[in-house]
Amino acid sequence: MRHLPRYSENKKKDKAKVTMAQAFKTIIWPRRNLVFIGLILIVIRSLAGLVLPWQSKVLLDRVVPSKDMTQVYTLVAIVLSAILIQAVTSFSLTRILSVQAQYLISELRAQVQKKVLSLPISFFDNTKSGALVSRIMTDVEGVRNLIGTGLVQLVGGSFTAIVSLIILIKLNPWMTLFVFVPLSIFGYIALRAFKYIRPIFRTRGKINSEVTGRLTETLAGVRVIKAFNAEAQENEVFEKGVNKLYQNVKKSLTATAFMTSSSTFLIGVATTGIMGIGGYYMMQSEMTTGDFLFFTLILGFMIAPIVQMSNIGSQLTEALAGLDRTEELMNMAAEADDMERDIELDNLKGDIEFDDVSFAYEEGKEVLHNISFNAPAGSVTALVGSSGSGKSTIAGLSATFLNPKSGKITIDDKDLSKIKLTSYRKYLGVVLQDEFLFEGTIKENIMFPRPNASENELQYAVKAAYVNEFTDRFEDGLETLIGERGVKLSGGQRQRLAIARAILANPKIIILDEATSNLDTESEALIQKSLGELVKDRTTIVIAHRLSTIRKADQILVIEAGYIVERGTHDVLIAKKGRYFDLYTYQAKI
């Protein structure tokens, strides 16, 4: 990823605004050799384009009066050669710069995706996945106008316009001055329009990501939508989104239409004036017919790039607006950017200790209060309590998905907030209540944490989690496609697959969040056997509503309203006849 924009990593939340100078420094300058070649090609193309009007003047003023056919043949050969040069340079421009622009887009997308995956879990909790897809795939597309033919055409068009202007001044300075006035007015209008359009393009990117995010959610939750007969409701939400997008596009179209209409009117005024002034000069014999035709054609060469530059200017404005939004992402602090995390774990026993830990998702609203407990290496610690009591928050803190507001968490007596995340998470395994499975085969999902695992290791994980109990009945076995998020499997089958994945990962620390909640009685019995294998000699934190599954836990913590209200083994807590006893006896009655 050399030569991609190098953005400063900071926590500023101010809206980023990429200047053309920044874009030049980070995107264009590293590719200066290609851009220079492009400029040479476009200069050659522009000069070759001037041959036709020049030879037209020669034809009318010299060749036709002399009736010399040899000169006609020579003139035709010169014009054809110029046209061939134009064609070759145009092809080369597209081949060199447009292809390079697409390569840059692919690299930049990869860089942004890498950045997004480096962000903390809290970022994803507050951002729609569909919106992120739009920002990764769409926002960077405008870059093609910076390194592709757009910018080169802007520079090349400027060169053509300047050369044409010099020729026009030499032909007739007064006619040129008459043309220059309306063109200057158009230039002022265009600059004002670009300043107005840029925030519109920026807002469009935001709206587009919101609409894409909602659409992604709708397609993912189509079963829920149909089950609740909510198609009309979702249609209305989407229609509002696309209408908002339409209103934004309408604003930009109005601005560009105003520019186009202004150019048409002002250029029309200039052309009309040229007809009158040119007619006067020809009647006064101060200008030949060839001179007038030459002036008119060269005028076209000067005006065309200016009008084209207004379109290219819109494209560059859109590109910079996309880069604004991209830079916002690139400026966010990644998990690994925490300079205090400098401890590298070479080995791990798995002793976890919470020391007076408190946590709040929002300022002033604590969900955990002064939590303290020790989970020795190889032990099983169960978290029980009513929904919303803080069990999953404790698990999230243990997995380093969250960071304590106060207090300290240690692993093997080392402060977890000082340990490099990658060195800790390589020892971590997580099985969630609603486990995420990737579209693909059963085998691919099990091998996700260790793609290079051996066949023996794979088979061990499959048998330990009793995945073979159902894959043996499938025609394609482990190569069976499971559909998006594993929709072709039952809840129990998905859960066993997730446990097999965790077994294959061979972690030192296991976090089980409602790992048996989606299972029928038969599947639960099988899973309990596989979990026994999974937690063996590993530090395990279990969250469970089914209290029957944690009777053998080394310690049980009863969490209520963010506090540990009871702790002990199953037998000790039953004997206390407190909160755990109430929960257990209530479930037993059910």
Side-chain angles (χ1 to χ4, degrees):
M1 301 276 177
R2 279 186 317 163
H3 307 331
L4 285 179
R6 302 279 183 178
Y7 299 101
S8 59
E9 306 291 347
N10 56 61
K11 297 183 180 179
K12 290 181 181 178
K13 294 185 178 179
D14 297 336
K15 286 187 177 180
K17 190 169 184 181
V18 179
T19 64
M20 195 64 208
Q22 288 174 307
F24 180 85
K25 180 180 177 181
T26 59
I27 295 175
I28 300 169
W29 182 248
R31 293 165 176 78
R32 55 189 176 277
N33 293 336
L34 282 174
V35 174
F36 182 68
I37 292 171
L39 290 174
I40 290 175
L41 289 172
I42 207 161
V43 165
I44 293 172
R45 189 180 72 178
S46 300
L47 293 175
L50 295 173
V51 171
L52 179 60
W54 172 47
Q55 292 300 315
S56 298
K57 168 180 164 55
V58 172
L59 177 68
L60 290 177
D61 289 350
R62 289 167 47 189
V63 177
V64 172
S66 67
K67 297 181 181 180
D68 186 347
M69 284 304 299
T70 302
Q71 290 189 48
V72 171
Y73 296 143
T74 303
L75 186 146
V76 169
I78 292 172
V79 172
L80 284 175
S81 298
I83 292 172
L84 178 62
I85 291 171
Q86 281 184 287
V88 172
T89 51
S90 294
F91 172 80
S92 300
L93 268 173
T94 302
R95 182 68 183 83
I96 293 172
L97 294 182
S98 296
V99 171
Q100 177 63 23
Q102 291 302 319
Y103 175 69
L104 173 61
I105 289 172
S106 67
E107 278 199 314
L108 191 52
R109 279 175 177 156
Q111 190 184 59
V112 176
Q113 188 262 2
K114 182 179 179 181
K115 177 67 180 187
V116 167
L117 286 185
S118 75
L119 297 175
I121 294 293
S122 58
F123 170 79
F124 297 95
D125 291 340
N126 298 306
T127 310
K128 291 182 179 180
S129 57
L132 288 176
V133 170
S134 175
R135 296 186 73 166
I136 294 170
M137 297 301 295
T138 305
D139 285 353
V140 302
E141 283 190 351
V143 173
R144 67 177 178 272
N145 294 314
L146 291 175
I147 194 65
T149 55
L151 182 65
V152 173
Q153 284 176 347
L154 182 66
V155 177
S158 301
F159 171 79
T160 303
I162 291 170
V163 172
S164 299
L165 179 63
I166 292 170
I167 295 173
L168 292 176
I169 291 172
K170 287 186 176 182
L171 280 172
N172 194 308
W174 291 110
M175 288 174 65
T176 304
L177 179 63
F178 183 86
V179 172
F180 195 72
V181 172
L183 287 180
S184 299
I185 296 172
F186 170 69
Y188 174 76
I189 292 173
L191 289 175
R192 296 286 296 178
F194 294 150
K195 188 176 181 180
Y196 171 76
I197 289 173
R198 182 167 179 175
I200 295 175
F201 281 139
R202 183 185 176 86
T203 305
R204 183 184 303 175
K206 182 180 179 181
I207 297 171
N208 190 58
S209 65
E210 289 174 353
V211 174
T212 305
R214 182 68 185 199
L215 179 59
T216 304
E217 285 183 344
T218 300
L219 297 177
V222 67
R223 285 172 172 76
V224 176
I225 292 169
K226 288 186 176 293
F228 287 98
N229 196 30
E231 290 95 331
Q233 176 182 317
E234 282 304 307
N235 291 340
E236 184 180 351
V237 171
F238 186 71
E239 284 173 8
K240 285 181 179 178
V242 293
N243 182 64
K244 193 176 179 182
L245 187 61
Y246 156 71
Q247 295 297 335
N248 178 276
V249 173
K250 187 168 73 171
K251 281 185 181 180
S252 63
L253 287 177
T254 301
T256 52
F258 182 71
M259 276 197 300
T260 304
S261 300
S262 299
S263 67
T264 301
F265 173 75
L266 293 170
I267 291 170
V269 169
T271 304
T272 304
I274 292 304
M275 289 178 64
I277 299 172
Y280 170 78
Y281 278 123
M282 284 189 289
M283 285 187 287
Q284 296 296 318
S285 300
E286 294 181 22
M287 176 179 274
T288 66
T289 305
D291 286 336
F292 180 75
L293 178 62
F294 188 35
F295 187 96
T296 305
L297 292 175
I298 292 296
L299 179 62
F301 269 83
M302 185 182 76
I303 291 175
I306 293 174
V307 175
Q308 185 185 41
M309 278 188 277
S310 68
N311 296 326
I312 295 171
S314 297
Q315 294 171 4
L316 295 181
T317 302
E318 186 173 7
L320 292 174
L323 286 178
D324 286 346
R325 287 171 48 76
T326 299
E327 187 177 32
E328 279 183 17
L329 279 176
M330 301 304 291
N331 280 346
M332 291 180 180
E335 282 185 316
D337 292 338
D338 190 347
M339 301 305 293
E340 293 185 1
R341 291 187 177 275
D342 56 1
I343 299 176
E344 187 82 35
L345 292 177
D346 296 326
N347 198 5
L348 186 73
K349 287 195 304 178
D351 290 320
I352 299 176
E353 184 172 359
F354 276 57
D355 182 14
D356 203 29
V357 172
S358 296
F359 178 81
Y361 289 99
E362 297 178 33
E363 192 66 34
K365 297 180 180 179
E366 281 193 355
V367 294
L368 291 182
H369 314 280
N370 312 108
I371 299 295
S372 296
F373 69 90
N374 180 43
S379 68
V380 176
T381 299
L383 308 177
V384 302
S386 55
S387 296
S389 60
K391 304 184 300 297
S392 293
T393 303
I394 292 175
L397 288 165
S398 303
T400 62
F401 295 157
L402 305 170
N403 296 312
K405 176 187 174 185
S406 62
K408 185 167 70 172
I409 304 172
T410 60
I411 180 78
D412 294 348
D413 296 324
K414 297 181 180 69
D415 188 345
L416 192 55
S417 67
K418 310 291 186 185
I419 295 173
K420 291 183 179 179
L421 291 173
T422 52
S423 73
Y424 172 67
R425 288 178 182 169
K426 68 183 179 182
Y427 297 110
L428 182 68
V430 179
V431 180
L432 303 175
Q433 178 180 0
D434 184 20
E435 189 61 65
F436 186 90
L437 300 178
F438 296 91
E439 185 174 7
T441 66
I442 292 173
K443 180 180 178 180
E444 288 170 345
N445 273 276
I446 294 175
M447 297 186 70
F448 178 76
R450 292 177 59 199
N452 298 321
S454 68
E455 183 65 24
N456 287 339
E457 290 171 322
L458 171 65
Q459 289 302 324
Y460 172 77
V462 166
K463 292 174 183 176
Y466 294 90
V467 170
N468 60 311
E469 186 271 334
F470 62 87
T471 56
D472 288 346
R473 301 196 302 269
F474 294 164
E475 183 178 346
D476 295 325
L478 292 176
E479 298 297 335
T480 301
L481 293 170
I482 63 174
E484 188 175 11
R485 295 182 66 91
V487 295
K488 294 181 181 179
L489 300 179
S490 69
Q493 290 170 342
R494 289 197 296 270
Q495 208 68 4
R496 277 182 272 173
L497 197 160
I499 291 172
R501 182 162 65 187
I503 291 173
L504 185 68
N506 193 28
K508 293 287 185 70
I509 297 172
I510 290 286
I511 296 174
L512 304 173
D513 188 352
E514 304 291 354
T516 61
S517 62
N518 290 329
L519 305 180
D520 53 55
T521 304
E522 182 181 355
S523 293
E524 183 180 342
L526 294 174
I527 290 303
Q528 286 304 320
K529 293 180 182 179
S530 63
L531 286 177
E533 181 64 36
L534 176 60
V535 304
K536 187 178 180 181
D537 299 325
R538 295 183 173 97
T539 307
T540 306
I541 295 178
V542 183
I543 299 174
H545 280 305
R546 292 190 183 186
L547 304 187
S548 60
T549 64
I550 56 169
R551 293 185 62 171
K552 295 181 181 180
D554 296 290
Q555 67 173 328
I556 298 171
L557 306 179
V558 183
I559 315 296
E560 291 296 339
Y563 293 94
I564 298 178
V565 295
E566 290 182 347
R567 68 179 77 206
T569 62
H570 171 78
D571 293 337
V572 169
L573 293 176
I574 289 294
K576 280 185 177 181
K577 293 190 176 181
R579 179 60 178 157
Y580 180 80
F581 176 82
D582 293 340
L583 291 171
Y584 188 81
T585 53
Y586 176 76
Q587 284 194 9
K589 290 176 184 177
I590 295 176

